[in-house]
Amino acid sequence: MALSAGLRCCQRVFSWIPVVIITSVVLWSYYAYVFELCLFTLSNTLEKVAYLLVFHVCFVMFSWTYWKSIFTPPTPPCKKFQLSYTDKERYELEERPDAQKQILMEIAKKLPVFTRAASGAIRFCDRCQVIKPDRCHHCSVCETCVLKMDHHCPWVNNCVGFSNYKFFLLFLVYSMVYCVFIAATALQYFIKFWVGELRNGPAKFHVLFLMFVALMFFVSLMFLFGYHCWLVSKNRSTLEAFSAPVFQNGPNKNGFNVGFRRNLQQVFGEDRKLWFIPVFTSLGDGHFFPMRSRNESRNPLLACEEQWEEDGGSDEESLGVQRDPSVTVEIES
């Protein structure tokens, strides 16, 4: 037991190494740009002020989105998806798999669950003892079920899911903006140092290395951001891109694709003024989502969807999230 606890503690410590690396590179880039380039190399005062002003705006937005991506905790399913003490006892005492499936089917009648396991059974997490909402998956690193889980990202040491997917996308955006601005403004001085127009000194190393690092990170981020833009346009998570969600009529990779505009609103919200600000504006509560097909949006287990609303829904008031008014069974096909 002590050994297992020690290993988990070491794993938690080592999991922060990628974050420490990124933070160290960013702090060095701040020093290299502000001090070595702007203060020690640039001679034009107006140019210094303009560069420093725009740079700090980019730096603040990058830091803000990175912080939100790291420290926004992944949202687990609400209590209504957990088994009651009686149901849990029934499920654990029953040894026949078919009988266990039937118990879960009975419990799921009161829940807005539309996706299934590959076998057609209700998706159930034995570790968390919860019926998984649509698009919810168990993260073995975070050791919890995560609503609309996309992936576990080591660079933010956090699960990217419903609660922070917008922050993660903005982190990619402002990371690229940060790299592009540094590369664009440092280019002429990079060339001058390279051809020997400026005298050698500590600034030369910092400016040359700054250019290489900015371009290297930009290229890698560009491909990752492009992939996630494609996922958002299709309303898929990374997990769903590799394994299509299973509905009543079988797997359907486009099951949650409700059109480009509404797909964007699912992640960024309806107020476009807040799209590029790292505040939570995603629609819904992460427990159920609009679906492409009318047939897929009808759950034969859910006898009355109004019952879910009357019973308090999914505790969305306690979660502090926005409800998507389009999440009903009357969904455009």
Side-chain angles (χ1 to χ4, degrees):
M1 184 68 69
L3 179 61
S4 177
L7 290 175
R8 285 198 300 270
C9 182
C10 290
Q11 183 183 13
R12 292 192 185 97
V13 172
F14 286 129
S15 65
W16 285 100
I17 291 178
V19 175
V20 172
I21 292 174
I22 294 295
T23 304
S24 301
V25 171
V26 171
L27 290 177
W28 165 80
S29 70
Y30 182 91
Y31 166 79
Y33 190 89
V34 173
F35 291 93
E36 295 294 344
L37 178 63
C38 291
L39 298 183
F40 300 154
T41 303
L42 272 63
S43 56
N44 188 304
T45 303
L46 183 60
E47 189 178 18
K48 281 184 181 181
V49 173
Y51 281 10
L52 287 173
L53 181 62
V54 178
F55 173 81
H56 279 91
V57 171
C58 296
F59 181 80
V60 168
M61 295 307 297
F62 164 82
S63 301
W64 189 5
T65 54
Y66 193 40
W67 176 275
K68 295 283 283 186
S69 298
I70 294 173
F71 294 107
T72 301
T75 307
C78 69
K79 293 181 179 180
K80 288 188 176 294
F81 287 83
Q82 297 176 358
L83 298 188
S84 66
Y85 178 81
T86 305
D87 291 331
K88 183 179 179 181
E89 191 175 51
R90 286 175 56 207
Y91 181 81
E92 291 178 347
L93 291 176
E94 183 58 64
E95 297 180 354
R96 295 171 299 170
D98 290 341
Q100 288 182 330
K101 290 181 181 179
Q102 187 60 37
I103 292 173
L104 294 178
M105 294 277 280
E106 293 175 2
I107 300 172
K109 288 180 179 180
K110 298 180 181 180
L111 300 173
V113 178
F114 303 102
T115 55
R116 299 288 181 268
S119 63
I122 297 295
R123 300 193 313 130
F124 179 73
C125 180
D126 288 315
R127 296 180 182 179
C128 300
Q129 293 291 293
V130 298
I131 293 177
K132 294 180 182 179
D134 295 341
R135 316 185 81 175
C136 175
H137 298 274
H138 185 88
C139 177
S140 59
V141 180
C142 297
E143 298 180 344
T144 185
C145 284
V146 180
L147 294 180
K148 196 187 176 185
M149 179 177 173
D150 187 88
H151 68 289
H152 186 91
C153 180
W155 299 108
V156 300
N157 190 29
N158 197 6
C159 247
V160 177
F162 176 75
S163 61
N164 65 346
Y165 188 55
K166 176 190 174 182
F167 306 147
F168 178 75
L169 291 177
L170 292 181
F171 161 62
L172 297 180
V173 170
Y174 289 115
S175 297
M176 290 191 299
V177 171
Y178 184 74
C179 292
V180 168
F181 178 77
I182 288 177
T185 53
L187 178 60
Q188 59 175 315
Y189 301 97
F190 170 85
I191 296 174
K192 290 179 180 180
F193 275 121
W194 190 268
V195 299
E197 289 186 19
L198 295 174
R199 62 181 180 83
N200 291 333
K204 179 178 181 179
F205 163 78
H206 287 286
V207 172
L208 295 180
F209 197 56
L210 194 61
M211 274 291 299
F212 284 120
V213 171
L215 291 175
M216 179 183 68
F217 273 88
F218 172 75
V219 171
S220 59
L221 288 168
M222 180 178 61
F223 286 106
L224 180 60
F225 178 68
Y227 176 67
H228 278 280
C229 285
W230 177 78
L231 290 177
V232 171
S233 70
K234 300 293 184 181
N235 204 346
R236 298 177 197 168
S237 66
T238 299
L239 294 176
E240 291 166 352
F242 285 96
S243 179
V246 179
F247 295 90
Q248 293 293 324
N249 298 325
N252 185 354
K253 61 183 180 181
N254 291 315
F256 296 105
N257 186 352
V258 290
F260 181 75
R261 182 179 61 85
R262 291 182 65 195
N263 290 344
L264 283 178
Q265 290 176 346
Q266 285 289 301
V267 177
F268 294 100
E270 296 177 337
D271 189 351
R272 296 189 179 184
K273 297 188 296 293
L274 299 177
W275 278 15
F276 292 97
I277 306 299
V279 294
F280 186 86
T281 55
S282 300
L283 298 182
D285 62 2
H287 291 83
F288 51 97
F289 302 88
M291 280 168 278
R292 183 184 187 90
S293 168
R294 184 185 299 270
N295 292 331
E296 288 168 353
S297 69
R298 294 189 182 276
N299 185 355
L301 298 177
L302 191 59
C304 181
E305 186 167 334
E306 285 74 14
Q307 182 178 356
W308 164 260
E309 303 294 338
E310 292 172 1
D311 290 343
S314 51
D315 301 338
E316 55 193 42
E317 291 184 1
S318 63
L319 292 173
V321 297
Q322 296 185 26
R323 174 68 188 274
D324 185 356
S326 64
V327 184
T328 65
V329 295
E330 296 298 326
I331 297 171
E332 63 186 33
S333 56

